[in-house]
Amino acid sequence: MARWGMVIDLDRCTACQACVVACQVENNIPPASARTAERGRAIAWIRLVPFGKGEGGEHPSLRLIPVPCMHCEHPPCTKVCPVHATQVGDDGLVGQVYARCIGCRYCTTACPYTVRQFNWDRPAFPEPMEAGLSPDVSVRPRGVVEKCSFCHHRLQNAKDAARAAGRPIREGDYLPACVESCPPGAMAFGDFDDPRSTVSRLAESHRAFKLLEELGTHPKVIYLSKGEWGGES
Amino acid sequence: MDTEPFREDEGIEAQPPEARSEPQSRPVGIFLIGFLGVCVPSLALTALGIIHFGSRSVRQPVEFNHRKHVTELGISCDTCHSSYQTQTFSGLPKAEDCAACHAEAQGSSDKERALVEKLKRGGTLEWKRLFAQPPHVFYSHRRHVVAGKIACATCHGGIADTTSPPRQVRKLAMQDCIGCHLKSKVSVACTTCHR
């Protein structure tokens, strides 16, 4: 069974936010109204989080890091869900069943990466966007928690295509929208169980590090960076 | 059930199990009477077809006879439900699909003559779906019929042998899906079906 994960090369990332837009379109994420955004309730499954270092001053050292759901191997969010609305699947993806979610928001509190977001408002899509909604992804109602799914509907489609062609699923068959859209090719996606996959190779790099690794969540999103930002210090 | 107010200093954990089970004997009797009084008649009415739980009435534009078309004439399902082998949705027949055979009356019934007249006028057929998935479920006909090699009747039952359209929408239960997935060793991860 595969263990899907992502590698993000921060030395290549230009913080252009193409991944954010691609995700928004792919996953039927409604554009936030001014009021929603003002209250900090805008939903984004992948965000660019500013990380600062040092004192700041006249020339602050700031870096924007794309943060999707880490799809942890030991996710804190699934353990606190009282209704089993979020579980780790056999392919390692942390799934969210919106119909089962009761909106208690324990998981949003438990997630150390704060990538889980609550639907405070009913989703509203402006007139022409309504026709462009993806049929593979549900539109989440008000009152449930949502998060990055690693575009798991694309995995199902890739499995279908591979099965129709009579071959096992290959590297590159299944890519989330963010990875596919990345203009500098800073994101890689694949199976960590396959030692020959690109992600497995990249994860062994001396530049590799994980966010909040010390918590024991075992995130499946690995970052690459050299110098003071990364594993090489 | 428990009528005693919950006291903060004496939580559920602190009580010995005997002390908790004691006052439940009377509510159980009341519950049984309630069950017999409410549930049994409603179940009987459901069995008789008087009450439909989780369904709504459907009226089709044509009293379509599946048995006549499928069992007697041997027309395959994909003649009218054209896309179940290629897409997620199996498709419902358009007016021109019916007109392919019914441009002229095939039989002598009044209903068929009315259909032929309607088709000649260029009328459309607004079929209602009889099998519906809730919006949080992703179901692909192609995946199940082509890749999984499942017969239509596995989920659609004996629809091919009905003489008039059923009056209700059939909701397929999750346990049906799970049972089949476990039997055929397909993933039962939430993300496999829930979108």
Side-chain angles (χ1 to χ4, degrees):
Chain A
M1 198 49 78
R3 209 157 52 89
W4 300 103
M6 194 185 280
V7 175
I8 303 174
D9 190 340
L10 297 176
D11 297 334
R12 282 192 183 192
C13 175
T14 60
C16 70
Q17 305 216 29
C19 52
V20 179
V21 176
C23 174
Q24 210 95 8
V25 173
E26 177 76 17
N27 291 301
N28 297 343
I29 299 170
S33 67
R35 188 177 157 77
T36 305
E38 198 178 32
R39 291 172 157 195
R41 293 173 176 180
I43 289 172
W45 287 7
I46 182 167
R47 289 167 303 152
L48 274 104
V49 177
F51 280 79
K53 267 209 171 176
E55 289 297 308
E58 208 173 317
H59 299 291
S61 180
L62 198 71
R63 187 150 196 178
L64 291 160
I65 297 183
V67 180
C69 172
M70 300 285 143
H71 290 265
C72 311
E73 279 174 56
H74 300 295
C77 54
T78 58
K79 291 174 191 130
V80 295
C81 181
V83 291
H84 300 288
T86 178
Q87 291 175 17
V88 188
D90 46 17
D91 42 17
L93 302 180
V94 180
Q96 176 82 12
V97 182
Y98 310 113
R100 204 181 273 182
C101 177
I102 56 171
C104 70
R105 288 173 282 139
Y106 283 1
C107 57
T108 58
T109 310
C111 176
Y113 305 101
T114 64
V115 293
R116 289 178 158 272
Q117 278 142 351
F118 184 68
N119 280 278
W120 288 93
D121 302 304
R122 198 174 300 168
F125 294 89
E127 182 57 57
M129 284 181 79
E130 190 103 17
L133 292 178
S134 165
D136 292 344
V137 185
S138 59
V139 175
R140 281 76 57 187
R142 178 173 166 265
V144 302
V145 170
E146 64 181 66
K147 65 161 197 80
C148 158
S149 64
F150 266 178
C151 292
H152 70 72
H153 55 283
R154 289 188 169 212
L155 170 62
Q156 307 304 336
N157 290 341
K159 275 186 185 168
D160 268 3
R163 201 162 172 175
R167 59 170 175 80
I169 191 160
R170 279 196 299 245
E171 182 164 322
D173 282 353
Y174 162 38
L175 292 178
C178 54
V179 177
E180 205 175 52
S181 72
C182 185
M187 297 167 112
F189 192 82
D191 182 4
F192 278 124
D193 267 356
D194 177 5
R196 287 167 302 171
S197 68
T198 311
V199 284
S200 295
R201 208 166 32 76
L202 288 171
E204 284 168 13
S205 157
H206 60 278
R207 296 187 295 141
F209 71 100
K210 296 170 182 172
L211 284 186
L212 303 177
E213 205 176 352
E214 63 276 14
L215 298 177
T217 51
H218 293 274
K220 282 204 288 294
V221 176
I222 292 173
Y223 293 91
L224 302 179
S225 183
K226 68 178 173 205
E228 56 175 331
W229 291 95
E232 191 186 69
S233 52
Chain B
M1 287 287 155
D2 203 337
T3 47
E4 271 186 27
F6 184 76
R7 271 166 292 173
E8 221 179 316
D9 55 339
E10 200 187 71
I12 287 168
E13 296 297 323
Q15 278 187 327
E18 314 88 77
R20 267 187 288 142
S21 58
E22 186 89 45
Q24 276 184 5
S25 53
R26 244 188 28 213
V28 165
I30 295 165
F31 175 74
L32 255 178
I33 293 166
F35 177 79
L36 292 172
V38 178
C39 297
V40 173
S42 57
L43 281 172
L45 288 173
T46 314
L48 291 169
I50 295 163
I51 301 178
H52 297 304
F53 280 114
S55 64
R56 57 202 156 85
S57 183
V58 173
R59 236 191 129 68
Q60 297 289 24
V62 176
E63 288 274 306
F64 187 81
N65 187 337
H66 266 97
R67 185 192 282 175
K68 183 113 194 156
H69 289 81
V70 182
T71 314
E72 291 175 20
L73 296 169
I75 297 168
S76 69
C77 304
D78 63 356
T79 310
C80 303
H81 305 290
S82 57
S83 51
Y84 73 83
Q85 290 174 323
T86 50
Q87 292 177 25
T88 60
F89 181 47
S90 63
L92 292 167
K94 294 189 193 75
E96 49 261 41
D97 296 329
C98 298
C101 298
H102 292 278
E104 297 300 330
Q106 303 287 308
S108 54
S109 77
D110 292 339
K111 278 179 181 167
E112 198 211 348
R113 217 169 299 129
L115 170 70
V116 171
E117 285 301 312
K118 188 178 184 178
L119 293 175
K120 275 185 182 159
R121 285 198 308 271
T124 55
L125 299 171
E126 302 292 334
W127 300 101
K128 309 274 190 343
R129 290 179 69 171
L130 293 172
F131 294 85
Q133 295 290 352
H136 56 275
V137 176
F138 182 84
Y139 178 84
S140 162
H141 273 92
R142 176 170 172 251
R143 187 174 298 166
H144 288 82
V145 178
V146 179
K149 297 187 176 59
I150 295 171
C152 303
T154 310
C155 303
H156 293 287
I159 189 117
D161 208 36
T162 55
T163 51
S164 61
R167 286 269 174 263
Q168 65 192 84
V169 175
R170 186 175 162 208
K171 288 258 167 75
L172 300 154
M174 182 167 145
Q175 60 192 30
D176 300 334
C177 305
I178 294 281
C180 199
H181 272 224
L182 287 175
K183 209 163 61 187
S184 47
K185 294 191 173 58
V186 180
S187 167
V188 285
C190 307
T191 53
T192 308
C193 310
H194 288 289
R195 53 183 194 151

